[in-house]
Amino acid sequence: METRYTFGGDEHLFVECSEEMSLEAFFKSLSLTEAIKKAGIKGITEICPANASFQLRFDPDIIKPNDLLQSVQIIEKAGKKIKRSIKTRIIEFPVLYNDPWTHETLMRFRDRHQMPDGTDLDYAAEINNHESVEGFIKAHSESPWFVTMVGFVAGLPFMYQMVDRDRQIQVPKYLRPRTDTPKLTLGHGGCFACIYSVKGAGGYQMFGITPMPIYDPTQSVEHLKDFMVFFRPGDIVKFRPIDMSEYEEIVQEIEMNQYRPVIKEVQFDLDQYNENTKKYNNELVKALKDDRDN
């Protein structure tokens, strides 16, 4: 679709690059926000990128809404090439699927769920045509995920599965939101995976939990000392299933400030990815595995 512009109140301009999520839409949003930032338009106070859109906050005493709209449309129509390659990082995230904490929580809210007699994993496996929960977990964890947005709750990442569209995991949210979600829950809603950075309400299906902190306002955790939020748009995540023993071991390492996430710097190229998605994913995952093994 053509880019859609909508004003929000007196201080916001919402720019929608696509009605549906895709990495193409994300890269278009990324290119536009970078171009707008580079243009240095007076009056813009905040640029907030999202999955396939972004929002600008502006001071109407400095720039009139229609003048801002015209400036942004000129940048879009300038025909600058959409960014197709970024320097980023692939990160391994250990996950205890079907853990006791999210299990206890989800069982307290079955009256709000599509499958009252099962679990969130049972439901996700069934509607995605997997014969077992184990098969679903394999499909969820074997391919990488692309972080397209960070926010809504401080440090919470939205992640888009890097597979062909017909293989993407799709799971609707709860019929009614929960009033409780354990911290560091691995959730899923629609086509997006997320990690709940803090304990609180939520409506995404709960698949497991990670021991690795992603948000620390005290910056006491070793891998969050430079910045309290771990994720940034463009990160690539590879989930690795672990058992309870390894989960407890990682928790102890974190408490002793000895845990170091497995991270590999990479150059992600959208055209190469589109040319052969499976091959490209395998190369990304292999680079991460080789880095961990070394």
Side-chain angles (χ1 to χ4, degrees):
M1 74 170 202
E2 292 186 5
T3 305
R4 184 158 57 196
Y5 296 87
T6 309
F7 287 110
D10 297 328
E11 299 181 351
H12 297 90
L13 175 64
F14 179 64
V15 185
E16 191 175 6
C17 297
S18 175
E19 290 183 336
E20 61 180 16
M21 178 59 208
S22 68
L23 290 185
E24 295 281 346
F26 168 79
F27 273 83
K28 180 179 178 181
S29 174
L30 178 69
S31 296
L32 278 173
T33 52
E34 288 189 353
I36 291 167
K37 184 177 180 180
K38 187 176 180 180
I41 301 171
K42 291 184 178 180
I44 293 179
T45 59
E46 191 172 353
I47 302 174
C48 182
N51 301 305
S53 61
F54 61 92
Q55 185 165 274
L56 304 176
R57 185 177 184 182
F58 61 95
D59 185 341
D61 291 330
I62 297 177
I63 186 170
K64 295 179 180 179
N66 286 332
D67 289 344
L68 173 64
L69 173 61
Q70 185 178 29
S71 296
V72 174
Q73 288 177 327
I74 288 173
I75 290 173
E76 182 194 3
K77 292 176 182 178
K80 289 187 177 180
K81 188 176 179 182
I82 293 176
K83 196 169 190 174
R84 310 287 293 183
S85 180
I86 58 171
K87 184 177 182 180
T88 186
R89 54 186 184 167
I90 180 168
I91 307 145
E92 181 180 88
F93 256 81
V95 176
L96 179 60
Y97 287 89
N98 204 15
D99 66 282
W101 303 284
T102 59
H103 181 80
E104 185 277 331
T105 302
L106 65 86
M107 294 308 293
R108 284 193 277 119
F109 294 96
R110 296 328 283 166
D111 63 322
R112 308 180 184 213
H113 198 273
Q114 296 89 339
M115 185 184 280
D117 298 327
T119 67
D120 293 8
L121 279 168
D122 291 332
Y123 176 61
E126 179 177 302
I127 67 172
N128 284 278
N129 300 315
H130 290 280
E131 294 183 357
S132 66
V133 167
E134 291 72 24
F136 175 79
I137 291 173
K138 183 176 185 296
H140 188 275
S141 61
E142 68 181 358
S143 60
W145 296 71
F146 200 96
V147 177
T148 56
M149 172 182 165
V150 180
F152 183 71
V153 176
L156 183 150
F158 287 83
M159 295 172 277
Y160 182 76
Q161 193 176 24
M162 296 168 62
V163 294
D164 294 332
R165 189 172 291 274
D166 61 356
R167 292 182 54 218
Q168 282 187 339
I169 292 171
Q170 301 274 351
V171 193
K173 298 186 289 185
Y174 274 44
L175 297 175
R176 290 184 293 129
R178 301 177 304 273
T179 56
D180 186 22
T181 308
K183 179 181 178 179
L184 297 179
T185 290
L186 175 61
H188 198 100
C191 68
F192 289 107
C194 79
I195 298 174
Y196 284 79
S197 53
V198 296
K199 178 182 174 67
Y204 277 24
Q205 308 288 334
M206 296 185 288
F207 295 163
I209 201 163
T210 178
M212 181 175 156
I214 61 172
Y215 171 64
D216 178 23
T218 69
Q219 294 181 251
S220 57
V221 176
E222 183 63 31
H223 65 271
L224 294 171
K225 282 188 175 180
D226 291 336
F227 191 54
M228 67 179 71
V229 172
F230 179 77
F231 283 108
R232 51 184 181 248
D235 279 343
I236 299 171
V237 173
K238 175 63 173 64
F239 297 120
R240 180 172 66 86
I242 59 175
D243 58 20
M244 179 60 79
S245 176
E246 185 171 0
Y247 175 88
E248 292 174 343
E249 180 181 326
I250 293 174
V251 168
Q252 186 175 22
E253 289 179 356
I254 290 169
E255 289 175 350
M256 299 173 65
N257 264 335
Q258 295 177 348
Y259 182 75
R260 301 293 181 273
V262 180
I263 301 173
K264 176 69 174 177
E265 299 288 335
V266 294
Q267 188 76 25
F268 178 81
D269 187 284
L270 183 59
D271 291 326
Q272 292 180 19
Y273 167 82
N274 287 334
E275 186 177 332
N276 192 326
T277 299
K278 185 175 181 179
K279 179 182 177 182
Y280 197 80
N281 284 347
N282 288 339
E283 291 173 352
L284 285 173
V285 173
K286 184 179 184 302
L288 181 66
K289 183 178 182 299
D290 290 345
D291 194 64
R292 172 162 55 87
D293 292 344
N294 292 332

